Amino acid sequence: AIRDQRGALELPISKLPDIPARLQYIEGTITVHMKQSKRKSNRPPQVLTDEQLELLAEQTEARCPVANMMMASGCEIKTTWVNGAAASSSDDNEEGDSITSL
C-alpha cells in the first residue's frame, strides 16, 4: 500500500492537512483454492475454471464493502487473481501467498 504520510503528520494539528491521509494505492495477489469435500468420494477433485475465477473476482470486487469504501476515497486497487490449482502445481504455493478458501 502507498500512502502520503504528510496527510497524517502535517502540522500544525489545529489546521486541516492539504494532502489527504487516505491510502493512495494498494496492490496484491489473491490465490483461490477450491475447498474439497471431506467425504470420501470417487469423484475427481473440483477444479476452478478460468470463467469461475473471473466471475468470483468481478463479484467480490463489486460487493466487498472495504474495497468499495477505499475506491470511493480515491484509492487505486490493483489485484491479481490466481487459480490456486495452477499456482500449486507451478510453484507449490510459495511462502507469502495469500489464500482464500471457497
Side-chain angles (χ1 to χ4, degrees):
I2 296 174
R3 176 179 155 194
D4 189 334
Q5 296 293 337
R6 295 175 296 171
L9 304 175
E10 187 175 313
L11 295 175
I13 195 69
S14 58
K15 178 183 171 274
L16 290 176
D18 295 324
I19 299 165
R22 64 173 166 76
L23 293 173
Q24 296 172 328
Y25 180 80
I26 297 174
E27 183 175 351
T29 300
I30 301 165
T31 304
V32 181
H33 295 269
M34 289 288 286
K35 185 175 182 179
Q36 301 301 320
S37 173
K38 293 185 179 184
R39 292 186 214 148
K40 293 190 178 192
S41 171
N42 292 333
R43 293 186 306 182
Q46 291 183 340
V47 177
L48 187 68
T49 66
D50 290 341
E51 292 79 19
Q52 289 171 318
L53 181 64
E54 188 176 317
L55 179 62
L56 177 64
E58 178 183 295
Q59 291 299 316
T60 300
E61 290 169 3
R63 297 169 187 252
C64 176
V66 175
N68 278 277
M69 181 177 57
M70 288 190 297
M71 288 185 288
S73 78
C75 179
E76 181 183 346
I77 300 175
K78 180 183 176 198
T79 54
T80 302
W81 289 72
V82 176
N83 188 332
S88 293
S89 63
S90 66
D91 65 13
D92 286 325
N93 199 17
E94 293 178 8
E95 188 177 333
D97 285 354
S98 58
I99 299 175
T100 303
S101 294
L102 298 175

